[in-house]
Amino acid sequence: QVQLVESGGGSVQPGGSLRLSCEASGWTSSSNYGCMAWFRQRPGKEREGIASIYYVSGNTQYDDSVKGRFTISRDKAKKVVYLQMGALKPEDTAMYYCAVREWGCTVDPSHFTYWGQGTQVTVSS
């Protein structure tokens, strides 16, 4: 049984940093195309993909809204994916979710099978 558990959310002032973690227990990527990704859902908005990483190769992709400020990484031994967030802005306020899928990274949340419960990030002065 695959279970994703996020942690690390909280409240921070603009310009601050946070690191989110997501442990994917029970998930094993049997191909070179397994993907771990972070999504967020801002108030009144649809869920959007912001960063993804191929589990085997470590290749990453970012949405333009976070490029240069956020860094996704993974620890294969621990099956944990991280999202280091810096230079945070009020518009980064959202519920952040991690997700995994077996066949390739995509920004479409409907293509992901397994999801965490989400962790809230609030950026406010």
Side-chain angles (χ1 to χ4, degrees):
Q1 182 180 355
V2 177
Q3 187 174 16
L4 305 182
V5 179
E6 300 104 334
S7 60
S11 295
V12 64
Q13 292 186 339
S17 300
L18 280 175
R19 188 176 84 153
L20 306 183
S21 301
C22 173
E23 182 175 359
S25 60
W27 182 68
T28 300
S29 178
S30 59
S31 75
N32 288 330
Y33 302 102
C35 179
M36 307 180 90
W38 286 96
F39 292 77
R40 67 183 178 189
Q41 190 161 14
R42 294 183 273 191
K45 304 282 189 178
E46 293 187 350
R47 194 170 298 189
E48 58 181 345
I50 56 172
S52 61
I53 185 167
Y54 280 89
Y55 184 71
V56 173
S57 69
N59 288 339
T60 59
Q61 296 172 305
Y62 296 93
D63 184 78
D64 286 346
S65 64
V66 304
K67 198 174 292 183
R69 300 188 298 122
F70 292 9
T71 301
I72 188 171
S73 61
R74 87 299 187 219
D75 184 323
K76 292 170 65 178
K78 297 180 180 179
K79 295 185 180 179
V80 175
V81 59
Y82 303 99
L83 186 67
Q84 180 67 49
M85 305 187 294
L88 283 161
K89 307 174 182 179
E91 52 263 44
D92 294 318
T93 294
M95 185 70 80
Y96 284 73
Y97 300 88
C98 68
V100 298
R101 72 187 297 260
E102 184 62 23
W103 296 105
C105 286
T106 170
V107 298
D108 186 343
S110 69
H111 291 174
F112 281 79
T113 306
Y114 302 106
W115 291 86
Q117 81 288 352
T119 186
Q120 178 68 38
V121 172
T122 302
V123 185
S124 173
S125 55

